Amino acid sequence: EEFALSVASLVVASTRQEIAVQYSHYDNHHTKKMIQLPPGVDLGRFSPTRDTERDRLAKERLQPFFRQMRKPLILALCRPDERKNVPALLEAYATTPGLREKANLALVLGNRDEFSKLSAGARRVFYDLMSLIDKHDLYGLVALPKHHESADVPAFYRLVRQSGGIFANVALTEPFGLTLIEAAACGAPILATDDGGPQDIIKHCKNGILVDPLDTEAIGQALNKMLDASRDRWRRWSKNGITNVHKHYSWEGHAAKYLKKVDTLSRRFKSHTFELKPVHKLSLAERLLVCDIDNTLTGDHEALGKLGEAIAKDPKLAFGVATGRHIESARKVLREWGVPMPELFITSVGSEIHYGKKLKKEQSWRKHIDHRWDREAIVQTLKSLPGMRLQPAVDQREHKISYTLRGKNRPDKATIVKALRHADLAANVIVSHDEFVDILPIRASKGHAVRYIALKWGLPFENILVAGDSGNDEAMLTTPAQAVVVGNYSPELGPLKKRHGIYFASLPHAGGIIEGLHYYDFINHDHKGEEDEKSP
Ligand code: GLC
Ligand code: MG
């Protein structure tokens, strides 16, 4: 969640309270990029227009419970969850003088067959309700229907309207309160918890009263007040609800506002394109193999030779590397080890992408990852941590700051992450071999780079195979791509064994990659014939 909030350009929340209170607990709380945009209500389903058959069915669900049907209906409709505070509503109904004479109370709390099959929380709710009904002798006044269908819900709200009743939601907290706008759309006045969502709804709809959910007496008084209101007053609440839900909570309105916001964003990022250069081998390839270099490709000359041959033989397979090294250094070591030149270079731990022989730099990637990157401030902030020393200048790149860990009081990853968050800096911290620390933009890693390549070149993840051995490979090994960890992996990748879909090869180095290619049946399906005949 912290990550999502830090990379997002826009965060959409339902209420003002969600922005100010709920999200404030995150380190990455940036109110400037947050907007309030409440959800809508399906106005086709939720409307005051009668549906004779359905309305009759809904009425029949309640009728057996009530001594007198022709009374205003107070309705609560929610999950049987303790936070919904339904027993407080029942208690208020039972103990406030005049209420039981004036109105019936219907509690529609999901569907149930047997109390014993419900969750412990729901059982407690029903236990409290049944106890109160018994204690206050509310038989004939309170309905607790066992079953209903979702099509009954608008009909229940309409019953409230037709009977001159109230829809009540006195939950302990209510981040939004979808049922309140559904009820409003059907013309039911509302009594609601004085909390985030309902505050906005009442402000916009002017269709009822807010109440402190912990104050049973206040709940009772509010119910009385609404039931005793003049006919005109009650009608105004009902009408306001219908009119104002159309104005503030329609899905059409929601979509229009949303699109407008997204449009402003996309104009801001116009320079960022996903255009394809059709001549490139990557655009013709069906599959892509992406290997880390040090200790994954390198380490075993003989196996690497075989891997090179297998790659060269398969015309539909594109080959890429993903390395911590910078581009020049990557090319050099590949030449030294006689590795065929890749079509794709993901270098500097995923912060740079180059293509082909001419090493054409991917500029869109560069722009994309620049989001919230503040190199100077990061360097300054991390100066205060002992046990870290900057690597030589050649290893410092535009979007990569690299350190070597030294000494006993070297910081762990959590300490570094914390220091950056405290300074309100967004960055991706990657530790390898308990020795190297790379600080990258929040949108960059080998994993993000592989995802970008998959998206840009239209390669499904099952057609991408990634191989690695150490910490900076973790992000790409945990993408949905097929993943291989070579036999000589370093301990920081141990925990990945527990994850589904990552193959741990027994052979080290390039031998492990070949093992992975076989495991996933990844290479050259068309020309298998010869070898198959030889195999036992
Ligand atoms: C390579 C890079 C170095 C980085 C390390 C771990 O050795 O040269 O800068 O810290 O990989 O990613
Ligand atoms: Mg490596």
Side-chain angles (χ1 to χ4, degrees), residues 294 323-326 329 348-349 391 395-396 400-404 430-433 435-438 446 470-472:
D294 291 277
T323 175
R325 292 172 182 258
H326 57 78
S329 155
S348 302
V349 201
Q391 291 180 15
D395 285 312
Q396 311 300 338
K400 167 177 172 281
I401 310 166
S402 291
Y403 297 85
T404 313
I430 295 170
V431 181
S432 303
H433 301 289
E435 184 184 354
F436 303 119
V437 175
D438 303 307
K446 287 186 182 181
S470 77
N472 75 15

Side-chain angles (χ1 to χ4, degrees), residues 45 70 79-80 97 141 149 176 182-183 209 213 281 286 319 337 340 349 356 363 395 406 425 435-436 465 488 518 535:
R45 262 186 84 203
R70 297 170 72 83
R79 281 173 291 116
L141 297 166
E149 290 166 15
F176 186 72
E182 289 174 356
I209 295 182
K281 168 139 190 219
E286 270 172 15
F319 174 51
W337 279 81
V349 201
Q363 293 298 342
D395 285 312
R406 311 182 100 234
L425 292 166
E435 184 184 354
F436 303 119
L465 192 145
N488 54 300
H518 287 300
S535 60

Side-chain angles (χ1 to χ4, degrees), residues 480-502:
Q482 319 278 30
V484 183
V485 175
V486 290
N488 54 300
Y489 65 90
S490 62
E492 69 256 17
L493 292 189
L496 294 188
K497 282 197 163 165
K498 281 191 232 117
R499 278 180 78 125
H500 188 72
I502 299 178

Side-chain angles (χ1 to χ4, degrees), residues 257-320:
K257 269 196 211 157
Y258 197 107
L259 287 175
K260 205 169 138 199
K261 268 290 160 189
V262 172
D263 193 47
T264 358
L265 281 185
S266 62
R267 248 180 285 132
R268 189 138 53 89
F269 297 121
K270 206 166 226 150
S271 52
H272 178 83
T273 62
F274 281 88
E275 255 170 64
L276 293 184
K277 304 277 184 302
V279 286
H280 197 277
K281 168 139 190 219
L282 264 175
S283 64
L284 304 171
E286 270 172 15
R287 280 158 289 122
L288 169 66
L289 170 67
V290 182
C291 300
D292 167 53
I293 300 180
D294 291 277
N295 297 318
T296 303
L297 279 173
T298 66
D300 177 345
H301 275 288
E302 200 187 323
L304 183 55
K306 282 195 191 138
L307 177 65
E309 280 168 31
I311 295 170
K313 262 207 281 186
D314 187 340
K316 300 274 175 65
L317 178 73
F319 174 51

